[in-house]
Amino acid sequence: MTSQNTLPTLAILGGTGKEGPGLALRWAMAGYPVIIGSRLHEKAQKTADELNKILESESILGFENGVAASKADICVLTVVYTAHEPAIKSLKDDLKGKILVDATARVDFRNPIPPAPPSAARLAQSTLGDQVRVVAAFQNVPAAVLRKNLDKPLEEDVLVCADDPKDADEVIKLAESLGMKAYYSGNLDNAVVVEGLTSILISMNKHYGSRTGSIQISGIDKGE
Ligand SMILES: NC(=O)c1ccc[n+]([C@@H]2O[C@H](COP(=O)([O-])OP(=O)(O)OC[C@H]3O[C@@H](n4cnc5c(N)ncnc54)[C@H](OP(=O)(O)O)[C@@H]3O)[C@@H](O)[C@H]2O)c1
């Protein structure tokens, strides 16, 4: 889908849950054309309508996941982690030629333990093949921070893993557009550690009675 501005169109696949709508809202506020994806067109449209009400605009669209993916330049996967494999398989054709940002952290909130390798993003890349460029990011950005203080930039840092750093750069721009610092963090195999960090953050949130624990990196000068 060609947008009037130069920013890529983003599809948030499974964007009807907790994480996806907040990302969609923030990117729409940053000027990106945004599409919500769902297994059901009506559900996607409902979430788009809710977000548009907050934005006082009609800018966010809603479509079934495959249609949303085919209309976008960059797709962001935010389906519940237990649906990661079937979602990836069902969207294989629609994702061809695109960047897929995989935000999946395979951690059960009730029993947080780090997942075993390979990373969800590595599994996605293996299934999707080389016609899709998978980038892992946003696994440590809690849904609870995305929908509040909308007038303030996000303070969380984002670890971005990709086999090609140039693909990571595209996603670093997306994170920076929301005010976050984002860092290239190695290839897709490293993303399993980022998923595991989510287990640590959930455990910390439980212990300290928070919902917004995240990460900030020190000691890296990005030269900006
Ligand atoms: N929640 C957080 O704070 C957070 C933070 C960072 C990363 N993440 C990651 O983001 C992803 C989404 O988390 P969430 O908390 O937003 O999940 P969620 O609210 O439980 O579910 C997100 C969406 O997944 C879709 N879904 C459910 N079952 C499905 C299936 N069988 N096939 C395809 N899609 C299905 C649903 O969309 P439809 O019914 O509309 O299709 C649902 O709205 C997870 O991988 C999670 O690890 C979450």
Side-chain angles (χ1 to χ4, degrees):
M1 181 181 273
T2 310
S3 60
Q4 285 178 337
N5 58 28
T6 54
L7 296 174
T9 296
L10 309 178
I12 318 299
L13 308 174
T16 55
K18 294 179 276 301
E19 182 77 358
L23 288 171
L25 186 62
R26 293 264 178 179
W27 277 318
M29 289 174 68
Y32 285 87
V34 171
I35 304 169
I36 296 287
S38 165
R39 287 169 294 174
L40 296 172
H41 183 179
E42 305 74 38
K43 193 173 169 187
Q45 190 59 58
K46 185 163 176 275
T47 297
D49 290 345
E50 286 165 8
L51 299 178
N52 283 329
K53 205 166 165 190
I54 297 168
L55 294 169
E56 298 181 354
S57 85
E58 299 288 314
S59 68
I60 300 181
L61 306 176
F63 288 104
E64 183 275 326
N65 279 326
V67 178
S70 63
K71 288 178 183 288
D73 302 300
I74 299 178
C75 298
V76 182
L77 187 72
T78 59
V79 298
V80 65
Y81 78 93
T82 49
H84 181 261
E85 186 182 355
I88 291 286
K89 282 184 177 159
S90 71
L91 293 166
K92 184 171 178 174
D93 289 340
D94 302 301
L95 290 170
K96 277 185 186 156
K98 321 220 179 239
I99 287 180
L100 176 70
V101 183
D102 196 339
T104 305
R106 296 160 300 164
V107 180
D108 184 347
F109 176 82
R110 291 156 298 183
N111 179 28
I113 51 171
S119 67
R122 173 61 72 207
L123 289 167
Q125 186 69 76
S126 303
T127 301
L128 294 170
D130 59 11
Q131 292 194 60
V132 182
R133 291 164 289 152
V134 177
V135 178
F138 305 112
Q139 306 96 317
N140 303 144
V141 179
V145 305
L146 293 170
R147 295 286 287 267
K148 60 181 194 185
N149 300 323
L150 290 175
D151 55 332
K152 297 204 176 97
L154 295 166
E155 294 177 341
E156 292 68 25
D157 287 352
V158 181
L159 302 178
V160 182
C161 299
D163 289 344
D164 186 337
K166 288 199 287 300
D167 296 334
D169 285 344
E170 297 296 314
V171 180
I172 287 171
K173 277 187 223 157
L174 291 183
E176 289 175 343
S177 76
L178 306 185
M180 296 187 276
K181 284 192 192 145
Y183 299 85
Y184 177 65
S185 308
N187 71 21
L188 292 178
D189 297 315
N190 276 358
V192 75
V193 179
V194 187
E195 289 183 69
L197 268 177
T198 298
S199 170
I200 290 175
L201 294 168
I202 291 171
S203 303
M204 292 171 73
N205 279 340
K206 286 186 169 190
H207 187 76
Y208 293 106
S210 174
R211 296 171 61 222
T212 53
S214 191
I215 59 158
Q216 289 186 328
I217 299 299
S218 63
I220 302 281
D221 181 358
K222 290 181 72 185
E224 291 163 353

